[in-house]
Amino acid sequence: MNITTVTSPITPEQHQAGIVHIGLGAFHRAHQAVYIENTLVKCGGDWALVSANIRSNVTLVEQLNEANNVFHVVEYADQNTATVREIRAMKEALFAGDAMGRQALVQRLADTHTKIVTMTVTEKGYFLSPATGQLQTDNADIQHDLANLESPKTIIGLLVQGLRLRREAGFEPFTVLCCDNMPHNGKRVQTAVVSFAKAFDAELAAWIEQQVAFPSSMVDRIVPAMTEADFAAIKQDTGIDSPTVVKCEQFSQWVVEDNFPQGRPQWEAFGVQMVADVSAYEMMKLRMLNGSHSLLAYLGPIAGYETVAQAMTDPAIEQFLRFYMMQEVSPTLPSFDQQELENYCSALIQRFKNDSLQHRLQQIAMDGSQKLPQRWLQGWCDLSQQGMARQATELGLAGWMLYVMQHQQAQTSINDPLETTVFAAISQSENTVEKVASLLAMTDIFPALLADDTALCERISYLVTQLQQSPLQPTLSSLSS
């Protein structure tokens, strides 16, 4: 095993915490924390991290605290080559799942030293309707925060309470930087925050609209959820035996709109692309990388595959993904020339084949109702308006619907915030066509115009039956040849 080790020279007293991050998962530790670590080492500044979980995984916070918030990231190029990075950029780790923890996090948000708040809480964490993009003000957790803003449970309530306290204290607001996989993620979070604030205090909402920056960003690094096998492999490969270690691919990208009124780290010194408009990058990544991942998540298990790398050993699947990216996604990305898109497609195929990651398809399949509008449906509508074929995307939708049907029948969870609603939609239907029609009528997921598209319903119903009755590979080949 070829191992390169990078130790950190950072000590806790060197840097004041200037960034609060919400969503202390593996991705944050393997992505933003690595960029901030390297920027602090190279450029200095008071930009250390306070990172918090707000709902789950108190154990991780306790483990980080026991390790003085030092952890390691293992970047695998393949099974034989890796870089081990020691990360000391995190000054404090918090769990805000109880009243005391929430108060501690709100205090960090209100602290004048906090200039930026970043977040990775997944699409569902923003309580936005997947179909309309509007805040779900009738959600029980949002209702709780509107009535109890001094002790908020949601990321939206936390942001509004932090900004409210800063305004009352006469402090400048922090910048809100979303790092989740949503198109126009800055504008979407701004919509959620301002909508919440309007329901609470119109003057506060107006101040937020006028004073708070919500730049968008695009993040890209494959970071699988850690398994016991991963921990054992890392111990064998590197000697690191720690519950806080995280593994990822060697590739990493971060594109950020450069709108930080209170200042920011010199991220560009360590490869962050600071741009005026991130939308073209995020659309390319969402539709090509994330869209392909979702195709793998719902179609791969039908052929018996459990991980991305396993599925990519199948030539029919590789051909199908190339067809999807170049024939159905490429026409919806006018900002890039064909050669750029072909290069990106080939790079993604190679990344998906990285056999060191073991990225489980079951993990990618979670929260489908939140992911499909951004990854597939907006592109599907673009292609429809252009009168272009979209059979690969429709097969993906059939795969998701079959996945839902099978889990509903088996009474097993799909780990989706709309699980109860989705299951209820198909529970009274007697045949595949009725089930497909019921799902297409869910305007929380699908554009309203699809509910009356009988031809689409018939096509997807046929594809669902094909996936149930025929081997996957011939179906893929017939669509992508």
Side-chain angles (χ1 to χ4, degrees):
M1 187 75 184
N2 182 14
I3 299 289
T4 301
T5 301
V6 180
T7 57
S8 173
I10 293 175
T11 57
E13 62 274 7
Q14 280 180 290
H15 306 282
Q16 180 77 33
I19 302 174
V20 172
H21 181 86
I22 301 174
L24 176 50
F27 185 82
H28 166 60
R29 285 176 285 146
H31 190 272
Q32 296 93 26
V34 174
Y35 282 102
I36 293 167
E37 166 77 26
N38 285 286
T39 304
L40 289 177
V41 170
K42 190 168 184 177
C43 303
D46 289 330
W47 298 108
L49 280 163
V50 173
S51 299
N53 272 336
I54 62 175
R55 288 186 175 272
S56 61
N57 211 345
V58 63
T59 301
L60 173 61
V61 173
E62 293 170 346
Q63 291 166 340
L64 284 166
N65 287 334
E66 290 172 5
N68 295 317
N69 302 312
V70 179
F71 60 94
H72 293 85
V73 176
V74 184
E75 303 170 348
Y76 281 93
D78 52 45
Q79 286 189 334
N80 301 311
T81 308
T83 298
V84 177
R85 296 187 184 276
E86 182 185 50
I87 306 298
R88 293 179 175 268
M90 190 180 297
K91 200 175 184 73
E92 185 178 10
L94 296 173
F95 179 70
D98 54 32
M100 184 178 298
R102 284 193 284 273
Q103 285 304 310
L105 178 54
V106 168
Q107 288 174 10
R108 303 301 184 278
L109 294 173
D111 192 316
T112 186
H113 291 100
T114 299
K115 308 297 185 187
I116 301 170
V117 177
T118 60
M119 60 214 69
T120 47
V121 295
T122 73
E123 296 94 334
K124 64 184 176 184
Y126 299 97
F127 300 94
L128 294 167
S129 166
T132 68
Q134 298 304 303
L135 181 67
Q136 298 169 327
T137 52
D138 58 346
N139 179 275
D141 287 336
I142 294 295
Q143 288 290 315
H144 168 276
D145 284 4
L146 286 169
N148 304 276
L149 193 55
E150 72 285 349
S151 184
K153 292 182 177 180
T154 71
I155 181 70
I156 305 305
L158 285 162
L159 291 172
V160 173
Q161 176 65 349
L163 289 166
R164 174 193 179 199
L165 293 175
R166 293 174 78 102
R167 177 172 177 257
E168 291 175 351
F171 297 160
E172 296 292 337
F174 47 72
T175 295
V176 179
L177 179 62
C178 179
C179 300
D180 276 301
N181 286 317
M182 302 187 296
H184 315 295
N185 52 18
K187 293 185 183 301
R188 288 168 66 85
V189 177
Q190 182 180 34
T191 295
V193 169
V194 171
S195 296
F196 182 102
K198 284 180 178 177
F200 182 81
D201 179 343
E203 290 187 3
L204 174 61
W207 180 80
I208 290 173
E209 280 191 291
Q210 295 167 7
Q211 300 294 325
V212 182
F214 292 84
S216 290
S217 76
M218 187 276 275
V219 298
D220 191 359
R221 175 167 256 188
I222 297 172
V223 185
M226 293 291 290
T227 66
E228 290 303 317
D230 291 326
F231 286 113
I234 287 175
K235 181 179 179 181
Q236 179 177 340
D237 291 342
T238 70
I240 295 172
D241 185 15
S242 168
T244 62
V245 69
V246 61
K247 70 183 291 188
C248 60
E249 66 172 332
Q250 192 171 72
F251 177 90
S252 185
Q253 186 179 20
W254 197 5
V255 185
V256 181
E257 287 180 354
D258 201 355
N259 181 18
F260 294 83
Q262 309 311 317
R264 62 167 176 80
Q266 295 180 49
W267 279 318
E268 62 269 41
F270 199 75
V272 179
Q273 296 167 258
M274 306 302 301
V275 301
D277 184 0
V278 76
S279 58
Y281 294 93
E282 66 188 8
M283 186 180 295
M284 179 173 69
K285 189 252 181 175
L286 274 165
R287 295 185 180 181
M288 292 187 79
L289 188 155
N290 299 119
S292 295
H293 261 171
S294 289
L295 287 176
L296 288 168
Y298 300 119
L299 299 177
I302 295 172
Y305 301 118
E306 296 183 358
T307 70
V308 171
Q310 288 175 359
M312 292 305 297
T313 63
D314 192 321
I317 289 179
E318 177 178 341
Q319 178 185 346
F320 181 73
L321 290 187
R322 287 186 182 274
F323 175 87
Y324 162 75
M325 285 190 269
M326 297 313 302
Q327 301 301 318
E328 296 193 12
V329 178
S330 174
T332 72
L333 302 174
S335 298
F336 300 92
D337 63 42
Q338 194 70 8
Q339 190 59 55
E340 286 179 287
L341 294 172
E342 288 177 1
N343 293 343
Y344 188 58
C345 171
S346 295
L348 289 178
I349 295 294
Q350 290 307 119
R351 290 169 63 191
F352 293 164
K353 290 181 177 181
N354 188 335
D355 57 2
S356 66
L357 296 181
Q358 302 306 314
H359 196 180
R360 298 185 64 80
L361 299 176
Q362 184 178 3
Q363 178 191 357
I364 302 170
M366 294 170 55
D367 301 332
S369 70
Q370 312 297 294
K371 296 173 178 176
L372 300 192
Q374 290 88 30
R375 298 184 180 192
W376 291 346
L377 295 176
Q378 292 173 2
W380 187 95
C381 290
D382 289 347
L383 291 171
S384 179
Q385 291 173 358
Q386 298 175 42
M388 299 183 68
R390 45 216 181 268
Q391 60 262 37
T393 307
E394 290 177 4
L395 184 65
L397 290 171
W400 175 74
M401 291 184 181
L402 178 58
Y403 167 82
V404 169
M405 294 174 195
Q406 290 174 334
H407 281 271
Q408 188 269 336
Q409 186 174 14
Q411 296 185 323
T412 52
S413 177
I414 58 172
N415 293 305
D416 190 297
L418 295 184
E419 177 179 303
T420 301
T421 308
V422 168
F423 283 176
I426 62 175
S427 62
Q428 303 303 316
S429 302
E430 296 184 358
N431 57 56
T432 297
V433 174
E434 290 181 0
K435 292 179 188 292
V436 170
S438 296
L439 291 172
L440 288 175
M442 293 188 64
T443 55
D444 277 352
I445 304 174
F446 295 95
L449 61 91
L450 300 191
D452 298 323
D453 192 334
T454 55
L456 174 64
C457 180
E458 290 175 0
R459 291 198 303 273
I460 293 181
S461 300
Y462 171 78
L463 291 170
V464 169
T465 302
Q466 282 286 101
L467 292 174
Q468 288 176 301
Q469 298 179 353
S470 304
L472 177 65
Q473 288 80 358
T475 300
L476 296 181
S477 298
S478 67
L479 292 176
S480 59
S481 58

